[in-house]
Amino acid sequence: VANRAVPVVRIQFALDGGVAADSRTKPGTQRLMLDTLREGTDGTLGPLDGPEIARRLERLGAAVTASTALDRTRFTLNALAPVLGPSIALFADIVARPAFPPDQIERVRSQLLAGLASEAFDPQAIALRAAPSLLYGPDHP
């Protein structure tokens, strides 16, 4: 929907498949992948590490987010219209050419595991984990 009041462009790239597509033997793979996307690329802009990606996004006034649901994965770019070209180029490298540096994968993995451990004390998180199997049966992904 066009809104000429603010020169901002939002692009969303959506894929079929979300957390329900995670392997039962390796749950959380989707989340780990999404949380590691901005930690390095090796694409058309050359090799970039996480801090350089963050600096470029900040200079462009752009934001890249990734989210997932049961059956969908979304990548979103919010960018300023005057610098849309360079913003799209960076977005494309982040989404299509992530480097997944091993040290960053381990750092993000540790953060995710710490977050999961804290969910054991959060009533809402406990309910969200229990609800699908209670509603749909134990074989529900």
Side-chain angles (χ1 to χ4, degrees):
V1 174
N3 180 347
R4 308 276 184 235
V6 181
V8 174
V9 176
R10 180 177 180 178
I11 297 172
Q12 190 171 80
F13 176 61
L15 299 170
D16 284 339
V19 293
D22 263 359
S23 164
R24 284 201 182 264
T25 60
K26 294 186 180 186
T29 305
Q30 173 83 347
R31 175 74 185 267
L32 179 63
M33 183 271 298
L34 293 180
D35 286 358
T36 312
L37 276 178
R38 289 177 301 277
E39 298 301 328
T41 65
D42 194 11
T44 59
L45 300 176
L48 303 175
D49 63 9
E52 179 60 23
I53 291 169
R55 280 191 289 276
R56 288 184 184 212
L57 287 169
E58 186 176 348
R59 275 196 305 264
L60 292 166
V64 173
T65 58
S67 62
T68 189
L70 277 177
D71 298 318
R72 178 103 30 224
T73 300
R74 291 178 184 89
F75 304 94
T76 304
L77 168 67
N78 287 308
L80 299 171
V83 290
L84 185 58
S87 298
I88 289 175
L90 184 56
F91 179 62
D93 275 0
I94 291 169
V95 173
R97 298 170 202 88
F100 298 115
D103 61 327
Q104 296 306 311
I105 289 174
E106 187 53 38
R107 181 184 61 77
V108 171
R109 182 181 162 280
S110 296
Q111 290 174 340
L112 287 172
L113 289 173
L116 285 172
S118 71
E119 285 181 6
F121 303 101
D122 178 3
Q124 183 177 3
I126 293 167
L128 288 172
R129 288 220 179 269
S133 63
L134 293 172
L135 292 172
Y136 305 112
D139 294 329
H140 181 61

